[in-house]
Amino acid sequence: MSIYLINKICYLAEHDPELREKLRRDPAAAIAGFELSEEERSAFLRGDVAKLHELGAHDYLLGHLRRYELLGLTREIYTRRMKTAQSK
Amino acid sequence: MAEIVAAFGVPHTPMAPGLVEREGPNCETARLFRAVAQHLEAVGPDILIVFDSDHLNTFFFNNLPTFSVGVAGRTEGPNDSNTILTRRPVLVSADLSNQVYRFGVQQGFDLASTQEFEVDHSIMVPLHFLTPRMQIPIVPIFINGLAPPLPAAKRCYALGDAVRHAVGAWSGRETVAILASGSFSLEVAGPKEGVTDQEWMDTVLTSLAAARAQELLEKATTERLLAAGNVSGELLNWIALLGVIGNRRPVFLEPQHGHAYAAWRWDR
């Protein structure tokens, strides 16, 4: 159930400016303290929002990563990647 | 005895305030919000009960109520950052919010409550357009429309019915209006973003126009709502509104994109 933590990181990206700044500067360090599975950690760090959504992360929350353009997720990149997600 | 006198439904598109600022008072969005605002001003309710779906801002998966009433004297918002709106205080009717919560629980409707909370754009955008002076106290009733499992449409309708009874049993003498906030077909940041489910829009609009709530309850399964978009569960706010007002026909109903603007008045 560690997908909860992916959702939480996305929530914090919107509501915790300090974590948002850390995600901007050094994403791997920013999420080091969260007990994610390796699959989740790797998908998060490469900005693979389709994979995270397939793993159960809420797409509305993933959208916060796009709004702040974290992990290289510009509007175009995020939207293109998300459209490749397989529906659950 | 308190009396319910009108009901209104609007979207809460976070971009709408910025759009209207750029395009001016004659753009479509400004005109549609103004049409509903004029109905609201004509009725002049003392309190606005708002059915709203929080976007995982006020509530999160650590503590996620299916139904919750904000029981307080005030709140503040927006607590999210997707609109140009700046934070403002909002009056909450302490007495009526407490009545809705207590009456609901006592009558067997197991509502959650929150006594310290903020609200996101889904309450602040409608208020920005409908009550820009923020002079009317609200009673926020939160329905989980975004994070499955969503409550059943029939349960949301029953919630509306319970709210009507709560107002009827209240000792206050105020006039009360209902406001539903949200879209019928919208996907935000998900794979289906940018796609409006026109067939679902037509179904919802037909039911609303003809005041056939029961028909809508049958059709609005969680699967159908989510097929229309990841925030299309916001329709449940409108269904709760229908539970309050019963089978009344709207005096105003205008669709736009994946949502609509509506007003129900008893005096017309």
Side-chain angles (χ1 to χ4, degrees):
Chain A
M1 292 299 283
S2 51
I3 200 66
Y4 167 74
L5 294 174
I6 293 289
N7 283 328
K8 184 172 175 178
I9 292 165
C10 295
Y11 168 89
L12 292 172
E14 164 73 339
H15 291 280
D16 179 351
E18 206 172 306
L19 184 79
R20 190 191 312 145
E21 245 344 277
K22 285 182 188 165
L23 284 168
R24 229 188 271 287
R25 284 200 311 270
D26 187 349
I31 64 166
F34 292 87
E35 290 182 25
L36 303 170
S37 71
E38 271 323 300
E39 191 180 29
E40 291 161 349
R41 189 177 304 277
S42 141
F44 186 86
L45 291 176
R46 59 173 196 274
D48 189 346
V49 286
K51 180 71 181 175
L52 293 171
H53 183 46
E54 287 164 10
L55 291 172
H58 199 293
D59 34 8
Y60 185 88
L61 292 171
L62 289 168
H64 296 325
L65 304 176
R66 174 176 69 178
R67 177 147 4 101
Y68 295 105
E69 300 203 342
L70 300 169
L71 305 157
L73 293 165
T74 61
R75 183 158 194 92
E76 293 69 28
I77 292 172
Y78 178 100
T79 306
R80 190 172 68 235
R81 284 185 190 163
M82 185 53 96
K83 286 199 186 303
T84 69
Q86 304 297 310
S87 58
K88 293 188 290 293
Chain B
M1 196 182 89
E3 195 188 352
I4 298 171
V5 293
F8 310 96
V10 291
H12 53 240
T13 319
M15 291 79 79
L19 176 91
V20 167
E21 203 174 271
R22 282 195 309 278
E23 298 191 357
N26 292 322
C27 74
E28 182 182 69
T29 297
R31 282 190 293 105
L32 289 167
F33 270 114
R34 193 162 59 240
V36 176
Q38 283 168 350
H39 282 293
L40 194 149
E41 281 159 26
V43 173
D46 298 315
I47 302 174
L48 209 46
I49 294 178
V50 187
F51 290 112
D52 173 56
S53 293
D54 169 61
H55 295 58
L56 296 166
N57 291 304
T58 299
F59 303 102
F60 186 63
F61 292 113
N62 62 336
N63 195 351
L64 188 69
T66 297
F67 300 117
S68 184
V69 185
V71 181
R74 65 182 296 281
T75 183
E76 191 178 294
N79 61 353
D80 54 350
S81 61
N82 55 1
T83 84
I84 62 161
L85 300 179
T86 51
R87 271 177 178 267
R88 295 176 70 180
V90 179
L91 295 170
V92 176
S93 170
D95 288 346
L96 185 55
S97 60
N98 196 34
Q99 163 71 4
V100 168
Y101 171 56
R102 284 177 174 273
F103 184 91
V105 171
Q106 283 164 359
Q107 299 292 315
F109 215 108
D110 309 333
L111 299 160
S113 69
T114 171
Q115 296 192 11
E116 187 176 10
F117 61 98
E118 297 174 332
V119 294
D120 73 12
H121 71 277
S122 59
I123 284 191
M124 297 313 291
V125 170
L127 295 185
H128 166 77
F129 286 111
L130 300 182
T131 61
R133 291 183 291 121
M134 301 287 170
Q135 75 283 19
I136 303 180
I138 66 168
V139 173
I141 302 179
F142 301 100
I143 298 177
N144 172 20
L146 264 80
L150 307 181
K154 280 180 185 158
R155 193 68 180 143
C156 296
Y157 190 85
L159 172 64
D161 190 55
V163 167
R164 178 162 50 83
H165 282 104
V167 173
W170 185 43
S171 58
R173 303 181 67 84
E174 285 86 341
T175 57
V176 178
I178 311 297
L179 174 63
S181 170
S183 291
F184 310 156
S185 172
L186 180 64
E187 173 115 339
V188 180
K192 300 192 295 285
E193 191 171 63
V195 180
T196 300
D197 186 335
Q198 202 52 53
E199 187 193 323
W200 183 237
M201 279 298 291
D202 293 344
T203 299
V204 175
L205 290 165
T206 303
S207 295
L208 289 177
R212 292 200 296 261
Q214 297 306 323
E215 198 176 272
L216 190 56
L217 297 189
E218 298 296 328
K219 291 178 180 166
T221 61
T222 297
E223 294 69 29
R224 188 63 192 91
L225 292 174
L226 293 177
N230 64 354
V231 300
S232 303
E234 291 168 358
L235 175 67
L236 296 171
N237 297 313
W238 290 65
I239 287 176
L241 173 151
L242 296 178
V244 179
I245 70 172
N247 281 329
R248 290 174 188 272
R249 283 172 193 268
V251 297
F252 178 80
L253 177 64
E254 199 66 49
Q256 181 196 41
H257 313 303
H259 49 244
Y261 302 75
W264 291 261
R265 287 173 63 174
W266 294 203
D267 61 343
R268 315 238 315 233

